[in-house]
């Protein structure tokens, strides 16, 4: 007889550990995404203060964080595919991972638009910048709550 038939709790333990690892990887993705949001917040400050060179340098950091996020996403999805056979919520985790990836791409796009505005020497109303910063603060706080 197979040991799994004799000891089904070993299968449950394996699945519980796999799900715990998936959640830990999700936390790592949220932390990396929070770093990206923080950089976009600072990029808004740079745009508001007309520090264009600092904005360009900050955009490179945003891109680096996004690349790191994508690498972590790729590893997380590979792990989910490898161990997800017996997991009840594997599709939910995959959708969460994909949603976070899309959000990361959107955050990078916001940083890129800031650079384009700076290159066009567009004047930005203070209220717009403050609204964007308040929104980014809300996003950052939400991500922090999800991390815990």
């Amino acid at each position: 007889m197979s040991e799994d038939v004799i000891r089904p709790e070993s299968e449950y333990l394996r699945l519980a550990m796999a799900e715990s690892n998936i959640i830990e990887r999700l936390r790592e993705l949220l932390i990396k995404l929070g770093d990206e949001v923080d950089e976009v917040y600072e990029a808004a400050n740079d745009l508001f203060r007309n520090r264009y060179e600092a904005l360009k340098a900050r955009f490179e950091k945003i891109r680096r964080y996004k690349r790191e996020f994508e690498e972590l996403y790729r590893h997380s999805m590979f792990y989910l595919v490898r161990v997800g056979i017996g997991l009840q919520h594997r599709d939910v985790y995959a959708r969460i991972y994909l949603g976070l990836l899309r959000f990361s791409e959107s955050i990078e796009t916001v940083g890129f638009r800031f650079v384009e505005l700076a290159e066009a020497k567009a004047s930005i109303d203070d209220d717009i910048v403050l609204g964007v910063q308040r929104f980014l603060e809300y996003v950052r706080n939400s991500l922090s709550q999800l991390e815990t």
Side-chain angles (χ1 to χ4, degrees):
M1 255 191 200
S2 170
E3 185 167 324
D4 289 340
V5 174
I6 297 171
R7 294 187 193 179
E9 68 273 358
S10 66
E11 181 65 19
Y12 296 128
L13 182 61
R14 185 186 70 77
L15 291 175
M17 289 179 64
E19 194 155 3
S20 177
N21 285 335
I22 289 169
I23 291 170
E24 184 59 35
R25 288 169 186 263
L26 179 60
R27 281 192 186 114
E28 291 172 11
L29 285 169
L30 289 169
I31 289 168
K32 190 59 68 179
L33 192 57
D35 293 341
E36 191 176 348
V37 169
D38 289 342
E39 286 301 320
V40 171
Y41 181 87
E42 292 303 321
N45 277 337
D46 292 340
L47 178 65
F48 180 65
R49 294 188 177 136
N50 297 324
R51 298 187 309 210
Y52 302 129
E53 293 305 316
L55 177 60
K56 289 178 185 177
R58 195 165 307 278
F59 179 65
E60 290 306 315
K61 288 174 85 174
I62 293 168
R63 291 178 92 180
R64 188 187 75 217
Y65 281 132
K66 181 174 177 291
R67 282 191 301 272
E68 291 171 0
F69 181 89
E70 286 174 336
E71 184 70 21
L72 189 56
Y73 167 81
R74 198 170 14 264
H75 289 297
S76 299
M77 285 301 285
F78 284 147
Y79 181 78
L80 181 60
V81 167
R82 193 176 71 226
V83 301
I85 294 285
L87 293 177
Q88 181 179 2
H89 301 293
R90 69 178 174 268
D91 295 335
V92 174
Y93 292 127
R95 277 187 255 134
I96 291 170
Y97 285 170
L98 184 60
L100 292 176
L101 177 66
R102 288 180 180 155
F103 188 68
S104 175
E105 292 167 350
S106 297
I107 293 296
E108 181 193 29
T109 302
V110 169
F112 180 69
R113 298 296 180 230
F114 286 166
V115 171
E116 286 182 330
L117 287 170
E119 288 174 350
K121 297 185 182 354
S123 62
I124 309 291
D125 188 41
D126 297 351
D127 292 335
I128 293 173
V129 174
L130 291 174
V132 168
Q133 287 180 327
R134 271 188 257 130
F135 174 72
L136 290 170
E137 285 175 4
Y138 175 77
V139 168
R140 183 60 180 126
N141 290 337
S142 298
L143 289 173
S144 295
Q145 289 177 355
L146 287 172
E147 289 170 16
T148 58

